[in-house]
Amino acid sequence: MEKRFFSEFEAFSREEIEALQLERLEKQVAYLDQNSSYYQGIFRKEIIKSEDFKSLDDLKRIPFIDKYMVGESQERHPPFGEFLSVQEREIVKYFRTSGTTFHPRNFGYTFSDWWDVTVEVMARMKYSTGVRPEDRVFIAFPYSTFISLWTSHYACEKIGCMVIPGGGTSTKERLNLMKSMKVTVLCATPTYAYHLANVARDEGLDLRDIPLKLLHTGGEPLASVPGSRSRLEEIWHAKAFDQYGASEGYAPAGGECSEQNGLHFTEDVLIPEILNEKGEQVAPGERGELVFTNIISKAMPLLRFKTGDMVIYDDEPCACGRKSIRITVIGRTDDMIVIKGTNVFPAMLEEMVKRCPELSSEFMILLDEIEGVYELILQVEPNGPVKFSPAEEEAVKEKLIGMVRENLRIRPVVQVMEPESLPRFEVKSKRVIDKRKMDT
Ligand SMILES: [Zn+2]
Protein backbone atom coordinates (compact mmCIF):
# COMPACT_ATOMS: atom_id res chain seq x y z
CA MET A 1 0.00 0.00 0.00
CA GLU A 2 1.20 3.50 -0.80
CA LYS A 3 2.70 5.27 2.18
CA ARG A 4 1.02 8.62 2.66
CA PHE A 5 3.39 11.29 3.86
CA PHE A 6 1.39 13.02 6.51
CA SER A 7 2.68 13.12 10.02
CA GLU A 8 0.46 13.22 13.05
CA PHE A 9 2.11 16.56 13.78
CA GLU A 10 0.56 18.18 10.71
CA ALA A 11 -2.91 17.93 12.29
CA PHE A 12 -1.80 19.45 15.61
CA SER A 13 -3.39 22.54 17.15
CA ARG A 14 -1.17 25.43 18.23
CA GLU A 15 -1.31 24.22 21.86
CA GLU A 16 -0.32 20.69 20.86
CA ILE A 17 2.59 21.99 18.78
CA GLU A 18 3.94 24.01 21.70
CA ALA A 19 3.47 21.16 24.19
CA LEU A 20 5.42 18.83 21.87
CA GLN A 21 8.20 21.42 21.47
CA LEU A 22 8.55 21.86 25.22
CA GLU A 23 8.66 18.10 25.84
CA ARG A 24 11.28 17.59 23.13
CA LEU A 25 13.32 20.61 24.21
CA GLU A 26 13.57 19.31 27.75
CA LYS A 27 14.72 15.89 26.47
CA GLN A 28 17.21 17.49 24.07
CA VAL A 29 18.78 19.60 26.83
CA ALA A 30 19.11 16.48 29.03
CA TYR A 31 20.64 14.58 26.09
CA LEU A 32 23.17 17.32 25.32
CA ASP A 33 24.04 17.62 28.99
CA GLN A 34 25.04 13.95 28.83
CA ASN A 35 26.70 13.86 25.41
CA SER A 36 27.94 17.22 24.10
CA SER A 37 31.11 18.68 25.54
CA TYR A 38 30.19 22.08 24.06
CA TYR A 39 26.80 22.19 25.77
CA GLN A 40 28.09 20.68 29.01
CA GLY A 41 30.34 23.74 29.25
CA ILE A 42 27.49 26.16 28.43
CA PHE A 43 25.00 24.55 30.84
CA ARG A 44 27.52 24.55 33.65
CA LYS A 45 28.40 28.20 33.07
CA GLU A 46 24.77 29.36 32.80
CA ILE A 47 23.53 26.89 35.47
CA ILE A 48 20.95 25.36 33.11
CA LYS A 49 19.18 22.06 33.91
CA SER A 50 16.66 20.26 31.70
CA GLU A 51 14.08 20.21 34.50
CA ASP A 52 14.15 24.04 34.58
CA PHE A 53 12.37 24.22 31.23
CA LYS A 54 8.81 25.00 32.32
CA SER A 55 7.81 26.99 29.24
CA LEU A 56 9.20 27.76 25.79
CA ASP A 57 10.19 31.16 27.15
CA ASP A 58 12.93 29.42 29.14
CA LEU A 59 14.68 28.82 25.83
CA LYS A 60 15.92 32.41 26.10
CA ARG A 61 18.32 31.34 28.84
CA ILE A 62 20.42 29.48 26.28
CA PRO A 63 23.04 31.65 24.52
CA PHE A 64 22.97 32.00 20.73
CA ILE A 65 25.33 30.16 18.46
CA ASP A 66 26.32 31.10 14.90
CA LYS A 67 28.29 29.65 11.99
CA TYR A 68 31.50 31.37 13.12
CA MET A 69 31.34 29.67 16.51
CA VAL A 70 30.71 26.31 14.82
CA GLY A 71 33.66 26.92 12.47
CA GLU A 72 36.00 27.92 15.27
CA SER A 73 35.10 24.90 17.37
CA GLN A 74 35.75 22.64 14.35
CA GLU A 75 39.13 24.27 13.81
CA ARG A 76 40.08 23.52 17.39
CA HIS A 77 38.57 20.02 17.41
CA PRO A 78 38.45 18.70 13.85
CA PRO A 79 36.45 17.52 12.06
CA PHE A 80 33.12 18.05 13.88
CA GLY A 81 34.05 20.31 16.79
CA GLU A 82 32.87 19.98 20.37
CA PHE A 83 29.28 19.63 19.11
CA LEU A 84 29.56 15.98 18.17
CA SER A 85 27.26 14.15 20.61
CA VAL A 86 27.64 10.58 19.30
CA GLN A 87 30.60 8.34 18.50
CA GLU A 88 32.17 9.15 15.10
CA ARG A 89 31.48 5.58 13.93
CA GLU A 90 27.73 6.27 14.25
CA ILE A 91 27.96 8.91 11.49
CA VAL A 92 26.63 7.63 8.16
CA LYS A 93 26.10 10.88 6.27
CA TYR A 94 28.62 13.64 5.77
CA PHE A 95 28.23 17.10 4.27
CA ARG A 96 30.16 20.31 4.36
CA THR A 97 29.22 23.88 3.57
CA SER A 98 30.67 25.37 0.42
CA GLY A 99 32.61 27.94 2.44
CA THR A 100 31.85 30.91 0.19
CA THR A 101 31.34 33.27 3.13
CA PHE A 102 33.44 31.46 5.73
CA HIS A 103 35.71 28.44 5.91
CA PRO A 104 33.84 25.17 5.28
CA ARG A 105 32.00 23.52 8.15
CA ASN A 106 31.50 19.75 8.55
CA PHE A 107 28.20 18.08 9.37
CA GLY A 108 27.60 14.47 10.35
CA TYR A 109 24.30 12.58 10.64
CA THR A 110 23.44 9.29 12.28
CA PHE A 111 21.31 6.97 10.15
CA SER A 112 18.22 7.90 12.14
CA ASP A 113 19.00 11.66 11.96
CA TRP A 114 19.18 11.35 8.20
CA TRP A 115 16.47 8.86 7.29
CA ASP A 116 13.86 9.37 10.03
CA VAL A 117 14.19 13.12 10.45
CA THR A 118 15.84 14.99 7.54
CA VAL A 119 14.60 12.83 4.69
CA GLU A 120 11.22 12.22 6.33
CA VAL A 121 10.56 15.97 6.75
CA MET A 122 11.52 16.65 3.15
CA ALA A 123 9.31 13.77 1.93
CA ARG A 124 6.42 15.29 3.87
CA MET A 125 7.06 18.68 2.24
CA LYS A 126 7.28 17.24 -1.24
CA TYR A 127 4.15 15.16 -0.71
CA SER A 128 2.21 18.25 0.38
CA THR A 129 2.95 19.91 -2.97
CA GLY A 130 1.63 16.89 -4.87
CA VAL A 131 4.67 14.63 -5.43
CA ARG A 132 3.48 11.01 -5.70
CA PRO A 133 5.13 7.57 -6.26
CA GLU A 134 4.33 7.63 -9.98
CA ASP A 135 6.41 10.81 -10.46
CA ARG A 136 9.77 10.93 -12.23
CA VAL A 137 12.01 13.40 -10.48
CA PHE A 138 15.08 15.11 -11.93
CA ILE A 139 17.65 16.46 -9.49
CA ALA A 140 19.64 19.21 -11.24
CA PHE A 141 22.71 19.49 -9.09
CA PRO A 142 26.34 18.27 -9.15
CA TYR A 143 26.04 15.79 -6.22
CA SER A 144 28.82 17.42 -4.26
CA THR A 145 29.67 17.41 -0.55
CA PHE A 146 27.21 20.30 -0.12
CA ILE A 147 23.85 19.04 1.21
CA SER A 148 21.76 21.07 -1.28
CA LEU A 149 19.51 18.68 -3.21
CA TRP A 150 20.72 15.40 -1.66
CA THR A 151 17.75 15.63 0.68
CA SER A 152 15.36 16.05 -2.25
CA HIS A 153 16.89 13.00 -3.92
CA TYR A 154 16.36 10.70 -0.94
CA ALA A 155 12.96 12.20 -0.03
CA CYS A 156 11.59 11.44 -3.50
CA GLU A 157 13.00 7.89 -3.31
CA LYS A 158 11.31 7.50 0.06
CA ILE A 159 7.98 8.56 -1.44
CA GLY A 160 8.55 5.92 -4.13
CA CYS A 161 9.33 8.12 -7.15
CA MET A 162 11.78 7.30 -9.92
CA VAL A 163 14.70 9.63 -9.18
CA ILE A 164 17.02 10.65 -12.01
CA PRO A 165 20.34 12.11 -10.82
CA GLY A 166 21.55 15.11 -12.84
CA GLY A 167 25.17 15.11 -11.68
CA GLY A 168 28.30 15.00 -13.86
CA THR A 169 26.68 16.18 -17.05
CA SER A 170 26.17 19.33 -19.15
CA THR A 171 23.06 21.48 -19.11
CA LYS A 172 22.16 20.36 -22.64
CA GLU A 173 22.50 16.69 -21.67
CA ARG A 174 20.39 17.30 -18.61
CA LEU A 175 17.62 18.72 -20.79
CA ASN A 176 17.76 15.74 -23.14
CA LEU A 177 17.66 13.35 -20.19
CA MET A 178 14.65 15.17 -18.74
CA LYS A 179 12.89 14.85 -22.08
CA SER A 180 13.72 11.20 -22.73
CA MET A 181 12.87 10.16 -19.16
CA LYS A 182 9.58 12.11 -19.24
CA VAL A 183 10.39 13.97 -16.04
CA THR A 184 7.41 15.32 -14.07
CA VAL A 185 9.22 17.02 -11.15
CA LEU A 186 12.34 19.21 -11.37
CA CYS A 187 14.39 20.16 -8.29
CA ALA A 188 16.82 23.07 -8.88
CA THR A 189 17.80 26.54 -7.69
CA PRO A 190 15.63 29.28 -9.28
CA THR A 191 18.71 30.59 -11.12
CA TYR A 192 19.44 27.15 -12.57
CA ALA A 193 15.81 26.64 -13.59
CA TYR A 194 16.12 29.85 -15.64
CA HIS A 195 19.46 28.74 -17.03
CA LEU A 196 18.00 25.40 -18.16
CA ALA A 197 15.17 27.26 -19.89
CA ASN A 198 17.61 29.61 -21.65
CA VAL A 199 19.73 26.72 -22.89
CA ALA A 200 16.56 24.92 -24.08
CA ARG A 201 15.61 28.02 -26.07
CA ASP A 202 19.10 28.29 -27.60
CA GLU A 203 19.06 24.59 -28.52
CA GLY A 204 15.57 24.81 -30.02
CA LEU A 205 14.10 22.42 -27.45
CA ASP A 206 10.44 23.04 -26.64
CA LEU A 207 9.94 22.74 -22.87
CA ARG A 208 6.44 21.41 -23.54
CA ASP A 209 8.14 18.18 -24.62
CA ILE A 210 9.02 17.63 -20.95
CA PRO A 211 5.79 16.70 -19.10
CA LEU A 212 6.76 18.67 -15.98
CA LYS A 213 4.05 19.34 -13.41
CA LEU A 214 6.09 20.53 -10.41
CA LEU A 215 9.20 22.62 -9.95
CA HIS A 216 10.81 22.56 -6.51
CA THR A 217 13.31 25.29 -5.77
CA GLY A 218 15.69 25.95 -2.91
CA GLY A 219 18.99 27.70 -2.20
CA GLU A 220 17.64 31.14 -3.11
CA PRO A 221 14.38 32.84 -2.10
CA LEU A 222 11.44 32.27 -4.44
CA ALA A 223 8.25 32.72 -2.38
CA SER A 224 9.25 36.32 -1.60
CA VAL A 225 9.67 37.00 -5.31
CA PRO A 226 6.17 36.33 -6.75
CA GLY A 227 7.19 37.86 -10.10
CA SER A 228 9.99 35.31 -10.40
CA ARG A 229 7.71 32.45 -9.45
CA SER A 230 5.04 33.33 -12.00
CA ARG A 231 7.63 33.72 -14.72
CA LEU A 232 9.19 30.33 -13.91
CA GLU A 233 5.74 28.71 -13.84
CA GLU A 234 4.99 30.19 -17.25
CA ILE A 235 8.29 29.10 -18.82
CA TRP A 236 8.10 25.57 -17.46
CA HIS A 237 4.30 25.10 -17.63
CA ALA A 238 4.46 23.79 -14.05
CA LYS A 239 3.66 24.90 -10.50
CA ALA A 240 6.72 26.15 -8.59
CA PHE A 241 7.20 25.58 -4.86
CA ASP A 242 9.81 27.06 -2.56
CA GLN A 243 11.69 25.06 0.09
CA TYR A 244 14.21 26.40 2.54
CA GLY A 245 16.81 25.07 4.91
CA ALA A 246 20.17 25.80 6.51
CA SER A 247 22.80 23.06 6.97
CA GLU A 248 22.87 23.68 10.73
CA GLY A 249 19.16 22.78 11.04
CA TYR A 250 19.67 19.07 10.21
CA ALA A 251 16.25 19.16 8.57
CA PRO A 252 14.54 21.30 5.96
CA ALA A 253 13.22 24.30 7.89
CA GLY A 254 10.29 25.25 5.70
CA GLY A 255 8.32 24.26 2.63
CA GLU A 256 5.29 25.58 0.82
CA CYS A 257 2.03 23.63 0.71
CA SER A 258 -0.38 23.70 -2.23
CA GLU A 259 -1.68 27.10 -1.03
CA GLN A 260 1.68 28.78 -1.88
CA ASN A 261 1.31 31.34 0.90
CA GLY A 262 4.50 31.04 2.91
CA LEU A 263 6.74 28.15 3.95
CA HIS A 264 5.32 25.93 6.68
CA PHE A 265 7.97 25.82 9.38
CA THR A 266 9.13 22.39 10.60
CA GLU A 267 8.13 23.08 14.18
CA ASP A 268 8.24 19.47 15.35
CA VAL A 269 12.00 19.41 14.65
CA LEU A 270 13.08 23.05 14.96
CA ILE A 271 11.74 25.67 17.36
CA PRO A 272 11.76 28.97 15.46
CA GLU A 273 12.40 32.43 16.90
CA ILE A 274 12.21 35.51 14.67
CA LEU A 275 14.22 38.22 16.35
CA ASN A 276 15.02 41.89 15.87
CA GLU A 277 18.51 43.34 16.37
CA LYS A 278 17.96 43.50 20.14
CA GLY A 279 17.15 39.80 20.24
CA GLU A 280 13.41 40.31 20.81
CA GLN A 281 10.68 38.34 19.07
CA VAL A 282 9.07 40.45 16.32
CA ALA A 283 5.35 40.53 15.50
CA PRO A 284 3.87 38.69 12.50
CA GLY A 285 4.59 40.62 9.31
CA GLU A 286 7.68 42.33 10.76
CA ARG A 287 11.11 41.49 9.51
CA GLY A 288 13.50 39.57 11.77
CA GLU A 289 16.39 37.11 11.74
CA LEU A 290 15.46 33.45 11.92
CA VAL A 291 16.98 31.62 14.89
CA PHE A 292 16.20 27.93 15.41
CA THR A 293 16.72 25.20 17.97
CA ASN A 294 16.95 21.58 16.91
CA ILE A 295 14.95 19.44 19.37
CA ILE A 296 15.29 15.98 17.91
CA SER A 297 18.51 15.24 15.97
CA LYS A 298 21.30 13.39 17.75
CA ALA A 299 24.66 13.71 15.98
CA MET A 300 25.37 17.41 16.49
CA PRO A 301 22.19 19.38 17.21
CA LEU A 302 22.47 23.11 17.82
CA LEU A 303 20.36 25.24 20.13
CA ARG A 304 19.40 28.82 19.15
CA PHE A 305 21.36 28.90 15.92
CA LYS A 306 21.39 32.35 14.25
CA THR A 307 20.81 31.60 10.56
CA GLY A 308 21.62 35.08 9.22
CA ASP A 309 18.43 34.80 7.13
CA MET A 310 15.87 37.60 7.30
CA VAL A 311 12.28 36.38 7.28
CA ILE A 312 8.75 37.55 7.93
CA TYR A 313 6.19 35.16 9.41
CA ASP A 314 2.48 34.58 9.65
CA ASP A 315 0.94 32.66 12.56
CA GLU A 316 -2.63 32.46 11.24
CA PRO A 317 -3.77 28.89 10.43
CA CYS A 318 -3.27 28.07 6.74
CA ALA A 319 -6.19 27.19 4.45
CA CYS A 320 -4.58 23.73 4.07
CA GLY A 321 -5.36 23.02 7.73
CA ARG A 322 -1.82 23.12 9.15
CA LYS A 323 -1.29 25.35 12.18
CA SER A 324 2.51 25.70 11.98
CA ILE A 325 3.81 29.21 11.40
CA ARG A 326 4.63 30.14 7.83
CA ILE A 327 7.78 32.05 6.95
CA THR A 328 8.87 33.97 3.87
CA VAL A 329 12.62 34.31 3.41
CA ILE A 330 13.61 37.78 2.22
CA GLY A 331 17.37 37.36 2.03
CA ARG A 332 20.53 37.00 4.06
CA THR A 333 21.41 39.69 6.56
CA ASP A 334 24.83 39.76 4.82
CA ASP A 335 23.11 40.65 1.52
CA MET A 336 21.18 43.63 2.84
CA ILE A 337 22.12 46.88 1.11
CA VAL A 338 21.87 50.08 3.09
CA ILE A 339 21.70 53.10 0.82
CA LYS A 340 20.45 56.61 1.60
CA GLY A 341 19.22 55.30 4.96
CA THR A 342 17.02 52.62 3.35
CA ASN A 343 17.40 48.85 3.76
CA VAL A 344 17.11 47.02 0.46
CA PHE A 345 17.31 43.29 -0.20
CA PRO A 346 18.25 42.20 -3.73
CA ALA A 347 15.18 39.91 -3.78
CA MET A 348 12.92 42.97 -3.50
CA LEU A 349 14.44 44.51 -6.63
CA GLU A 350 14.36 41.16 -8.40
CA GLU A 351 10.65 40.94 -7.73
CA MET A 352 10.07 44.29 -9.44
CA VAL A 353 12.24 43.48 -12.47
CA LYS A 354 10.44 40.19 -12.93
CA ARG A 355 7.08 41.93 -12.88
CA CYS A 356 8.05 43.71 -16.13
CA PRO A 357 7.44 41.25 -19.00
CA GLU A 358 9.26 43.57 -21.42
CA LEU A 359 12.51 42.94 -19.46
CA SER A 360 14.58 39.76 -19.36
CA SER A 361 14.97 38.09 -15.96
CA GLU A 362 18.63 39.18 -15.74
CA PHE A 363 19.60 42.29 -13.80
CA MET A 364 22.49 43.79 -11.86
CA ILE A 365 22.53 46.10 -8.87
CA LEU A 366 25.35 48.64 -8.68
CA LEU A 367 26.07 50.98 -5.82
CA ASP A 368 28.19 53.61 -7.48
CA GLU A 369 28.93 57.30 -7.42
CA ILE A 370 27.08 59.62 -9.79
CA GLU A 371 27.92 63.31 -9.46
CA GLY A 372 29.40 62.82 -6.02
CA VAL A 373 26.52 60.80 -4.56
CA TYR A 374 26.28 57.02 -4.18
CA GLU A 375 23.21 55.84 -6.07
CA LEU A 376 21.32 52.59 -6.34
CA ILE A 377 21.75 51.69 -10.01
CA LEU A 378 19.56 49.00 -11.49
CA GLN A 379 20.77 47.58 -14.79
CA VAL A 380 18.22 45.72 -16.90
CA GLU A 381 17.93 44.54 -20.51
CA PRO A 382 15.12 43.89 -23.02
CA ASN A 383 13.46 40.47 -23.02
CA GLY A 384 14.74 39.07 -26.32
CA PRO A 385 17.33 40.06 -28.90
CA VAL A 386 15.68 43.31 -30.06
CA LYS A 387 16.66 46.76 -28.72
CA PHE A 388 13.99 49.06 -27.30
CA SER A 389 12.94 52.15 -29.23
CA PRO A 390 13.70 55.39 -27.30
CA ALA A 391 10.02 55.66 -26.33
CA GLU A 392 9.88 52.04 -25.11
CA GLU A 393 13.07 52.54 -23.10
CA GLU A 394 11.68 55.68 -21.47
CA ALA A 395 8.42 53.89 -20.60
CA VAL A 396 10.11 50.91 -18.97
CA LYS A 397 12.48 53.16 -17.00
CA GLU A 398 9.59 55.22 -15.70
CA LYS A 399 7.63 52.12 -14.74
CA LEU A 400 10.53 50.54 -12.84
CA ILE A 401 11.48 53.76 -11.04
CA GLY A 402 7.83 54.17 -10.03
CA MET A 403 7.65 50.60 -8.64
CA VAL A 404 10.87 50.95 -6.63
CA ARG A 405 9.88 54.37 -5.26
CA GLU A 406 6.47 53.15 -4.23
CA ASN A 407 7.73 49.99 -2.53
CA LEU A 408 11.11 51.03 -1.11
CA ARG A 409 10.84 54.82 -0.94
CA ILE A 410 14.07 55.26 -2.83
CA ARG A 411 14.59 56.54 -6.36
CA PRO A 412 16.92 54.25 -8.31
CA VAL A 413 18.85 55.06 -11.45
CA VAL A 414 17.69 52.62 -14.12
CA GLN A 415 20.08 51.78 -16.94
CA VAL A 416 18.79 49.80 -19.90
CA MET A 417 21.64 47.74 -21.32
CA GLU A 418 22.06 46.08 -24.73
CA PRO A 419 19.98 42.93 -25.30
CA GLU A 420 21.56 39.78 -23.77
CA SER A 421 24.52 41.75 -22.41
CA LEU A 422 24.10 41.26 -18.65
CA PRO A 423 25.98 38.42 -16.92
CA ARG A 424 24.25 35.03 -16.82
CA PHE A 425 24.49 32.83 -13.72
CA GLU A 426 24.13 29.07 -13.67
CA VAL A 427 23.52 27.95 -10.11
CA LYS A 428 23.40 30.86 -7.70
CA SER A 429 23.40 34.46 -8.80
CA LYS A 430 25.70 37.28 -7.63
CA ARG A 431 23.99 40.42 -8.74
CA VAL A 432 25.27 43.14 -6.43
CA ILE A 433 28.40 45.21 -7.04
CA ASP A 434 29.06 47.62 -4.20
CA LYS A 435 31.62 50.17 -5.36
CA ARG A 436 31.54 51.80 -1.92
CA LYS A 437 33.41 48.78 -0.53
CA MET A 438 35.92 48.89 -3.36
CA ASP A 439 36.57 52.64 -3.11
CA THR A 440 37.41 52.65 0.58
ZN1 LIG B 1 -0.62 25.38 4.13
Side-chain angles (χ1 to χ4, degrees), residues 128 255-262 264 317-322 324 326:
S128 79
E256 284 184 301
C257 68
S258 51
E259 300 291 321
Q260 291 183 319
N261 59 359
H264 280 282
C318 179
C320 73
R322 294 176 183 85
S324 51
R326 284 165 288 131

Side-chain angles (χ1 to χ4, degrees), residues 29-57:
V29 170
Y31 169 77
L32 292 171
D33 199 16
Q34 287 279 312
N35 299 291
S36 157
S37 60
Y38 178 82
Y39 280 108
Q40 282 165 354
I42 295 280
F43 296 158
R44 212 156 297 148
K45 195 168 149 221
E46 307 286 333
I47 321 170
I48 291 171
K49 292 194 187 79
S50 62
E51 56 269 30
D52 296 342
F53 286 80
K54 301 285 179 243
S55 85
L56 287 174
D57 252 8

Side-chain angles (χ1 to χ4, degrees), residues 205-354:
L205 181 110
D206 188 348
L207 290 183
R208 284 175 203 272
D209 292 342
I210 299 170
L212 206 69
K213 61 172 199 184
L214 299 170
L215 176 57
H216 283 181
T217 67
E220 296 169 321
L222 181 77
S224 59
V225 196
S228 182
R229 186 212 300 273
S230 55
R231 198 174 262 203
L232 270 181
E233 290 187 332
E234 226 170 82
I235 296 172
W236 281 98
H237 314 286
K239 294 285 272 178
F241 293 93
D242 196 1
Q243 286 155 355
Y244 159 81
S247 302
E248 287 82 357
Y250 290 94
E256 284 184 301
C257 68
S258 51
E259 300 291 321
Q260 291 183 319
N261 59 359
L263 285 71
H264 280 282
F265 201 85
T266 313
E267 289 195 78
D268 52 334
V269 175
L270 302 168
I271 300 178
E273 296 174 87
I274 293 132
L275 306 177
N276 63 19
E277 280 151 19
K278 292 182 204 151
E280 301 155 347
Q281 178 75 27
V282 300
E286 286 177 16
R287 199 187 293 162
E289 182 182 354
L290 174 67
V291 173
F292 56 58
T293 293
N294 184 305
I295 45 176
I296 197 161
S297 303
K298 292 288 173 266
M300 41 185 297
L302 302 174
L303 309 178
R304 301 196 88 199
F305 177 76
K306 283 168 77 92
T307 60
D309 289 317
M310 296 298 281
V311 303
I312 50 174
Y313 76 102
D314 188 338
D315 58 2
E316 290 294 317
C318 179
C320 73
R322 294 176 183 85
K323 312 288 191 306
S324 51
I325 69 159
R326 284 165 288 131
I327 62 164
T328 303
V329 182
I330 299 166
R332 292 197 56 77
T333 50
D334 309 346
D335 295 339
M336 189 175 77
I337 301 161
V338 184
I339 183 142
K340 295 182 176 173
T342 305
N343 298 342
V344 180
F345 283 94
M348 296 169 167
L349 295 168
E350 180 180 357
E351 156 63 8
M352 291 172 223
V353 172
K354 286 183 176 162

